[in-house]
Amino acid sequence: MDKKSKILAAALKLFVEQGFHSTPTSAIAKAAGVANGTLFHYFKTKDELILGLYADIKKDSLSKILQGIEEQLSVKAKVKTIWFNSINWSNAEKERHNFKQQFMNSPYASQLVEEEIEEELKFFSTIINEGIEKKILKDIPIDLIYHISHYQMLAIVSYLNLNQHLIEDADFYELAFELYWDNIKRV
Amino acid sequence: MDKKSKILAAALKLFVEQGFHSTPTSAIAKAAGVANGTLFHYFKTKDELILGLYADIKKDSLSKILQGIEEQLSVKAKVKTIWFNSINWSNAEKERHNFKQQFMNSPYASQLVEEEIEEELKFFSTIINEGIEKKILKDIPIDLIYHISHYQMLAIVSYLNLNQHLIEDADFYELAFELYWDNIKRV
DNA sequence: ATACTGACTGACTAATCACTCTACAAGAGT
DNA sequence: ACTCTTGTAGAGTGATTAGTCAGTCAGTAT
């Protein structure tokens, strides 16, 4: 692993444990096993490191979430795939998930360009749109469906964190997905 | 307003704007119009101030959320009241809401005693339990319903923040509540 | 009057922080 | 052999921070 990756990995771990501002750059460098100056060689400022780490994580999450989406799948199958991918990613990448949440709920989030926020929504929208047109999904605003979907997944991830024994329980996922699907499907 | 309240108010504003750790205690004291030492007279450490502010906000939120709950109301009416109260509180107290979110997603959250977290759940549980027993609500774990409810409200609050024009739209609230109710009611 | 209390002050300090600077090493291109 | 670039190091710096401390002052009880 090159030093830049080591710095990012160490930063992720420490930020999640201690928060952005109570994690000194010196501690990150030390944990990464590099010199103080090396950190600033790769990231001009601490903020750039934080923003860079977020961008990194978002990219990773997005690519994992879109895996296995095929055009010919039914709307429900597509939605289910995204739903599973999202929750699996959050379960598998707890630190990254926590960082994302901490970041999104911090004043840093407002430093993001609007466009960046929309990237995930853009993809989801296509599928939701298809569902609405085919009268499979409720005819309500797309970004309302997106918000509800996003937060329902967060709810499941949070619930699973408190009930670790369910993480391997396939039945639970089926139940949770059907709960979600009932919420957005047309009746 | 006494100085302690002024300190809490100033801290709230600055924490939401700049985050916990990039808000110096000196800035809080200045914004509150008190001397530096006064802040430490009321709060032994900065952490105690942050934790104290959270406790304050939680108390306020809880009391507002429980308003108008009467024993003789139907389960649906009770749930609806809580749902409306919660969303109204978040809309009206944006800064407090943001602080709560920032706090809950930060490493500070883990400093909380388990009991404290459960306070809100305890009240909600009684109602959910009644609903399950009367076969009005789905027969799934109470804290799963709680998680789904909590996050669905967050979704609506977040959606309203991006669509301010709906904040006064009574129809929207009815729609959003029915969406939620469909999710948890027995079919 | 006297004594006492506790809110309040703001200059002060020791520690910590983000970031800079100089130096050096290894490789690549000429 | 020569520079030029890139990566790496870590001591150093000026600014900033949380928290302290010695003391002022208004109010209250005796």
Side-chain angles (χ1 to χ4, degrees), chain A residues 54-84:
Chain A
Y54 175 73
D56 224 50
I57 288 173
K58 254 209 85 171
K59 217 180 97 190
D60 176 56
S61 130
L62 191 63
S63 78
K64 296 279 164 54
I65 285 172
L66 302 183
Q67 262 169 23
I69 304 285
E70 310 286 345
E71 189 50 48
Q72 77 278 5
L73 289 174
S74 70
V75 170
K76 185 172 179 180
K78 280 183 198 159
V79 170
K80 193 168 182 175
T81 304
I82 290 184
W83 189 89
F84 266 86

Side-chain angles (χ1 to χ4, degrees), chain B residues 22-36:
Chain B
S22 30
T23 303
T25 51
S26 57
I28 298 170
K30 200 176 171 187
V34 304
N36 223 303

Side-chain angles (χ1 to χ4, degrees), chain B residues 63-81:
Chain B
S63 77
K64 296 278 163 53
I65 286 172
L66 302 183
Q67 263 171 21
I69 305 284
E70 310 285 346
E71 189 49 47
Q72 77 279 5
L73 289 174
S74 70
V75 169
K76 185 172 179 180
K78 280 182 198 161
V79 171
K80 193 169 182 173
T81 305

Side-chain angles (χ1 to χ4, degrees), chain A residues 20-63:
Chain A
F20 304 131
H21 289 283
S22 29
T23 303
T25 51
S26 57
I28 297 171
K30 201 176 169 187
V34 304
N36 224 304
T38 307
L39 189 152
F40 286 95
H41 174 73
Y42 289 105
F43 304 96
K44 275 208 286 289
T45 62
K46 189 184 180 182
D47 273 17
E48 198 178 296
L49 167 61
I50 295 172
L51 263 359
L53 186 52
Y54 175 73
D56 224 50
I57 288 173
K58 254 209 85 171
K59 217 180 97 190
D60 176 56
S61 130
L62 191 63
S63 78

Side-chain angles (χ1 to χ4, degrees), chain A residues 105-108 110, chain B residues 10-20 23 53 57 94-100 102:
Chain A
N105 289 286
S106 80
Y108 279 104
S110 57
Chain B
L12 171 63
K13 183 167 176 283
L14 292 173
F15 283 153
V16 169
E17 277 171 12
Q18 317 180 25
F20 303 132
T23 303
L53 185 51
I57 288 173
K94 279 213 175 68
E95 260 179 4
R96 283 185 160 84
H97 172 83
N98 285 341
F99 179 90
K100 226 175 142 186
Q102 194 177 320

Side-chain angles (χ1 to χ4, degrees), chain B residues 3 35 38 41-42:
Chain B
K3 307 220 167 184
T38 308
H41 175 71
Y42 287 107

